[in-house]
Amino acid sequence: MDAFTYRDGELFCEAVAVEKIAREFGAPAYVYSERALLERYRAVAAAFNRYLPTTVCYSVKSCSNVNILRLLAEAGSGFDIVSGGELFRVLQAGGDPRKIVFAGVAKTADEIRFALDRDVLLFNCESEAEVLTINDLAAAAGKTAGVALRVNPDIDAHTHAKTTTAKKENKFGIEFERAKKFIAAIAALKNVVLRGVDAHLGSPINTVAPYALAAEKLLDFLRAAPDTLTHIDIGGGFGLRYHDEEPPEFAAYAQALSPLAAAGKRLIIEPGRSLIGNAAVLLTEIQYVKTNGEKTFYLTSTGMNDLIRPALYDAYHFIWNVKTALPPPSRLFGNDLAPPAGLSPVDVTGPVCESSDVFAKDRLLPPARRGDLLAIFSAGAYGFSMSSNYNSRPRPPEILVSGNRYRVIRRRETYEDLLRGE
Ligand code: LLP
């Protein structure tokens, strides 16, 4: 069931009218549905485990609020981290270090020491030099570290140019054939054990073919791997419906990867967007309605500093009035029906002094007035986690809804917060 629905022309998150939240906490505000997140977590875990034993390691970078991480930890999730800061968050949330995989191309010695100290499951290594460094640091700490080689399978997953990772020209991973040759050198190192192979392919990937191809390549790699290797990490990247995409079901991705079952290893998946993406909206308030020649602008209280995806990737986010006599066509994200009459094209923009501070151009929307609220949908992933204080704008609060209850999981920043540390 959708967590965000219109009832009598008004948007609800679970059983709470989002306008109530905006009245209490102001807008902009991120509003998350606990149910939507946990349903997706359980769905992905169940779909993959039907095909092969799988550990879900939620990708912390997609939304890293410690309260969100705690919900996932309590549900049994592991975590994919890329920094010491993310490790700190996961530990604070009660995450199990034995379900943490540590990725990232340029881990510092401090970050590696921190992760060694907490005995994380895997260091996903992106270069030979990194493996050697981890070996040295592990020796100094009197530990043995589990490492995985992140291979670069040279697969074009047809993502946005800024989110592609698995092609030869990207900085990620070790060239496939070179990684195979490096296996013998790892065996000679005393303080690391080769426990995994990893290949994140990009994000979002709205077809299963790249995964099927990666499975083939990984099986090839595994033929050269020692028995110590127990985990195959395929990364994240599963698609999400922002607009008219038809991303495969989790089961279809799992099926595409099912040939890996022949290897008798445990699969790790690192979904972020597909779990949290549609579990939140970003509420914004129209400050002014302005016309310039033919054009109409809804000038809102939310800026590119709060949600940078449209400015950075030309990303599409569905937007609709929170209260309207014209509920969205079809289901919430559906555009398979003709739009209702009474809509007109507007640009939805923010207040930031950049011409890329635009959330939608020439978007058909119901009429609105100063003070009306809009909801920017699919804002859960890479929304708050990529926000900044640009233009010295305090960041919005994050509110978590569960049934008919809601609570602040991050308060709105204050002006004093802006100066902290300066
Ligand atoms: N694992 C690794 C190694 C990754 O680099 C990523 C995402 C993920 C997992 C999670 O991918 P997901 O399941 O969330 O698609 N800021 C961009 C997306 C950048 C993705 C970076 N890596 C956006 O807003 O679209």
Side-chain angles (χ1 to χ4, degrees):
M1 216 186 117
D2 283 333
F4 292 94
T5 47
Y6 278 85
R7 296 189 203 164
D8 299 327
E10 177 167 10
L11 181 62
F12 277 70
C13 175
E14 301 194 22
V16 179
V18 299
E19 191 194 29
K20 184 166 158 49
I21 293 176
R23 244 190 275 119
E24 196 168 333
F25 303 106
Y30 277 92
V31 179
Y32 296 86
S33 157
E34 177 172 329
R35 191 182 75 209
L37 169 64
L38 292 179
E39 274 182 8
R40 291 294 280 174
Y41 168 75
R42 292 191 193 106
V44 80
F48 274 81
N49 276 291
R50 266 198 286 280
Y51 289 91
L52 59 181
T54 302
T55 300
V56 180
C57 289
Y58 169 75
S59 192
V60 174
K61 65 174 85 70
S62 61
C63 177
S64 44
N65 186 296
V66 69
N67 300 282
I68 296 288
L69 302 182
R70 189 170 296 121
L71 289 177
L72 288 162
E74 284 167 3
S77 185
F79 297 94
D80 149 46
I81 61 166
V82 290
S83 68
E86 288 190 351
L87 175 54
F88 181 74
R89 282 181 176 278
V90 170
L91 295 171
Q92 291 294 313
D96 177 358
R98 297 308 295 165
K99 290 190 200 163
I100 294 178
V101 294
F102 189 1
V105 288
K107 301 175 187 74
T108 66
D110 278 346
E111 289 176 320
I112 293 168
R113 279 191 212 101
F114 183 17
L116 282 169
D117 183 58
R118 302 307 151 100
D119 294 315
V120 300
L121 175 66
L122 284 180
F123 289 86
N124 288 355
C125 297
E126 307 230 14
S127 63
E128 289 93 336
E130 184 188 334
V131 177
L132 300 176
T133 302
I134 293 172
N135 184 60
D136 289 348
L137 293 169
K143 300 248 179 183
T144 306
V147 296
L149 287 185
R150 177 165 181 182
V151 296
N152 184 321
D154 195 24
I155 291 175
D156 186 354
H158 302 289
T159 59
H160 188 281
K162 287 187 179 162
T163 55
T164 175
T165 55
K167 286 162 70 185
K168 268 210 292 263
E169 61 266 33
N170 302 131
K171 69 180 175 186
F172 300 100
I174 305 174
E175 207 188 329
F176 201 74
E177 289 304 320
R178 233 178 58 211
K180 280 206 285 190
K181 290 198 191 105
F182 189 51
I183 292 175
I186 297 180
L189 299 172
K190 292 211 162 44
N191 293 83
V192 292
V193 180
L194 184 62
R195 292 221 192 283
V197 59
D198 165 38
H200 172 74
L201 305 177
S203 167
I205 303 172
N206 284 318
T207 59
V208 301
Y211 291 96
L213 192 55
E216 255 175 60
K217 293 203 171 194
L218 289 170
L219 283 172
D220 174 49
F221 180 90
L222 290 170
R223 278 189 277 278
D227 288 343
T228 56
L229 193 150
T230 45
H231 289 78
I232 306 170
D233 183 344
I234 194 63
F238 312 133
L240 183 80
R241 187 163 195 197
Y242 285 97
H243 182 205
D244 53 2
E245 305 91 335
E246 299 282 356
E249 302 282 330
F250 287 138
Y253 290 107
Q255 191 180 22
L257 288 164
S258 62
L260 289 173
K265 316 283 182 193
R266 192 166 186 86
L267 184 70
I268 293 173
I269 54 173
E270 303 173 349
R273 185 194 315 272
S274 54
L275 303 192
I276 190 78
N278 275 334
V281 298
L282 174 56
L283 300 180
T284 184
E285 185 187 287
I286 298 176
Q287 304 302 302
Y288 305 100
V289 177
K290 162 171 162 176
T291 52
N292 259 350
E294 299 283 276
K295 289 203 71 100
T296 300
F297 297 91
Y298 290 172
L299 306 167
T300 78
S301 59
T302 300
M304 62 191 284
N305 69 296
D306 303 314
L307 175 69
I308 202 174
R309 303 191 69 258
L312 194 57
Y313 314 118
D314 294 319
Y316 182 101
H317 283 263
F318 183 80
I319 299 175
W320 207 261
N321 308 39
V322 162
K323 267 186 156 169
T324 168
L326 295 167
S330 176
R331 292 174 61 242
L332 204 51
F333 304 98
N335 62 350
D336 43 341
L337 295 181
L343 308 182
S344 40
V346 297
D347 284 13
V348 180
T349 82
V352 170
C353 304
E354 298 255 356
S355 32
S356 54
D357 186 35
V358 176
F359 295 106
K361 273 205 161 82
D362 294 324
R363 190 71 67 81
L364 287 176
L365 283 177
R369 287 192 307 229
R370 170 175 162 76
D372 284 358
L373 294 170
L374 300 175
I376 304 176
F377 288 81
S378 313
Y382 309 104
F384 191 91
S385 67
M386 292 181 83
S387 65
S388 76
N389 290 124
Y390 186 43
N391 277 208
S392 285
R393 291 168 45 78
R395 281 181 293 180
E398 293 176 284
I399 318 291
L400 180 68
V401 175
S402 177
N404 57 10
R405 291 172 301 125
Y406 55 94
R407 64 189 169 103
V408 179
I409 56 170
R410 191 181 209 273
R411 62 166 173 76
R412 183 183 302 286
E413 287 179 345
T414 62
Y415 290 146
E416 285 71 29
D417 288 330
L418 294 178
L419 297 194
R420 189 176 302 150
E422 289 187 11

